[in-house]
Amino acid sequence: MIVAHPDRFAVNLISAHKKALELSDLKLKTSAKHSVLTEGGTDELLEKLQDHVDVTLAAIVGMAGLEPLMAAIPYSKSIAIANKEPLVAAGDLVLAACKKHGTKILPIDSEHNAVFQVFEESQRDQIERIILTASGGPFRALSRAEMTNITPEQAVKHPNWSMGAKISVDSATMMNKALEIIEAHYLFDMPAEKIDVLVHPQSVIHSMVEYSDGSVLAQLGAPDMKTPITYALGWPERLSSPGEKLDFRKMSELHFEEPDAERFPAIRLGYDCLREGQGACLTFNAANEVAVDAFLNRRIGFLEIVETVESVLNDVPRQEVSTLEGIISYDEDVRRFTLEKIKSGKVSHKVA
């Protein structure tokens, strides 16, 4: 999108973890002033983030993105946030920092971007509920028994979206939607009882907001992340997007259904953690990141991802922490606890 609008953007910094050639190519395409690889550590990235900019696009996967996000907030007029984990695990901390520095959060996640577009702040007291839509993932129609022997290769093949391995597995378990429930709470200051999930396999309606007069405002678009990215980077204006456009003439039907809590218990866990508080949300996220990694490396089976997370939530000593250092330390503790639980063999089903 930035390449499509070279007259609108001057790129100060881009980063990657270890894809040096791709980063170098992107630097040339965007004429970025700085580029940073973080495989050897994040010190240089954190230092380079101390330049004043109009918008920072935060897209580092997982909790690894929390510290750079916090470093960028004081120097950014707005944060276009694509990774949900920092808000899930440290929402209070992130929001307090944004309030202190007058930094606007612009959600890029397609569901929250959709809500952002139709959420009338002046009518907040008339909002009945936020409805987050979910594709249902690649295994929406399978029974629990049929999901027993799912492989990583199957789990990363999303039917609608092209995404990385971690988020693709989260979508397959519907853990992604559980994390989005928590994220929606922090982004829009809505209680758990006003956040609903509806399975919509076509991924055309990206989310909705229902008002007290019966009106339901929805944002529609093709399942292409270029659309929410363009919206966030252009906000409050709208820029032309290089992404796919929605063609209603090619649509035969839009289907909706309730998520199945028996086959996909992650959503229930998400609500439970949101109601319990930040410590539970942090535990939820950390355990899931470890469990997904274990599944991708064939140390546990597909169904054991959510089972591991629930087991950790039941067993790990809960903490409520409010500082960046405390959150990072507690996150590391939960990850060690989760790894030990997996190594203990209590989660024993593996995929050959």
Side-chain angles (χ1 to χ4, degrees), residues 16-20 36-42:
H17 185 55
K18 58 183 179 180
K19 294 185 177 181
V36 177
L37 279 173
T38 61
E39 188 174 22
T42 60

Side-chain angles (χ1 to χ4, degrees), residues 12 28 80 144 182 190 249 254 322:
N12 182 62
L28 288 173
R144 290 281 291 180
I182 300 169
M190 281 286 164
R249 294 168 298 183
L254 297 179
S322 58

Side-chain angles (χ1 to χ4, degrees), residues 11-51:
V11 180
N12 182 62
L13 169 68
I14 57 176
S15 72
H17 185 55
K18 58 183 179 180
K19 294 185 177 181
L21 291 178
E22 290 90 338
L23 183 65
S24 178
D25 182 57
L26 190 59
K27 184 178 182 181
L28 288 173
K29 288 180 178 178
T30 61
S31 300
K33 185 178 179 181
H34 305 288
S35 62
V36 177
L37 279 173
T38 61
E39 188 174 22
T42 60
D43 289 350
E44 184 182 4
L45 175 61
L46 297 177
E47 178 185 346
K48 290 289 194 299
L49 285 169
Q50 296 177 33
D51 287 338

Side-chain angles (χ1 to χ4, degrees), residues 119-163:
F119 190 102
E120 297 183 3
E121 185 62 43
S122 63
Q123 300 293 319
R124 169 180 287 276
D125 61 341
Q126 298 301 315
I127 292 176
E128 293 288 332
R129 57 178 177 152
I130 289 171
I131 305 168
L132 301 174
T133 57
S135 70
F139 312 128
R140 177 179 63 87
L142 298 187
S143 67
R144 290 281 291 180
E146 290 172 320
M147 286 188 269
T148 301
N149 293 311
I150 284 169
T151 67
E153 290 78 13
Q154 292 171 316
V156 299
K157 291 182 179 179
H158 195 280
N160 299 335
W161 299 90
S162 176
M163 306 181 293

Side-chain angles (χ1 to χ4, degrees), residues 159-326:
N160 299 335
W161 299 90
S162 176
M163 306 181 293
K166 195 268 181 182
I167 192 171
S168 295
V169 174
D170 282 346
S171 179
T173 61
M174 292 200 74
M175 184 67 76
N176 193 46
K177 208 53 51 179
L179 296 171
E180 287 175 6
I181 291 165
I182 300 169
E183 183 185 11
H185 163 73
Y186 285 107
L187 284 172
F188 304 108
D189 192 23
M190 281 286 164
E193 58 269 21
K194 285 195 171 187
I195 304 171
D196 287 350
V197 172
L198 195 61
V199 174
H200 168 50
Q202 292 81 16
S203 296
V204 169
I205 296 177
H206 297 298
S207 278
M208 299 171 272
V209 176
E210 181 181 320
Y211 291 84
S212 58
D213 64 357
S215 298
V216 179
L217 302 188
Q219 188 268 340
L220 286 70
D224 188 332
M225 284 305 299
K226 293 185 182 72
T227 301
I229 291 170
T230 301
Y231 180 81
L233 292 184
W235 185 89
E237 302 176 37
R238 288 186 184 268
L239 304 178
S240 62
S241 170
E244 183 183 351
K245 300 299 193 295
L246 189 63
D247 188 346
F248 284 94
R249 294 168 298 183
K250 296 180 180 179
M251 293 164 46
S252 59
E253 64 177 11
L254 297 179
H255 179 70
F256 304 93
E257 62 189 54
E258 288 287 333
D260 189 325
E262 293 299 319
R263 291 185 298 124
F264 298 99
I267 291 178
R268 168 181 56 82
L269 295 181
Y271 279 116
D272 289 346
C273 290
L274 179 53
R275 292 186 176 100
E276 182 179 337
Q278 188 78 77
C281 294
L282 187 156
T283 302
F284 185 59
N285 179 73
N288 179 60
E289 286 196 35
V290 173
V292 169
D293 182 72
F295 168 69
L296 289 171
N297 287 283
R298 290 178 164 79
R299 294 196 297 271
I300 62 173
F302 180 76
L303 293 179
E304 279 70 42
I305 297 172
V306 177
E307 290 173 6
T308 297
V309 173
E310 184 164 22
S311 179
V312 171
L313 282 167
N314 288 335
D315 296 343
V316 74
R318 197 80 78 242
Q319 296 181 29
E320 295 296 333
V321 287
S322 58
T323 66
L324 178 60
E325 295 76 14

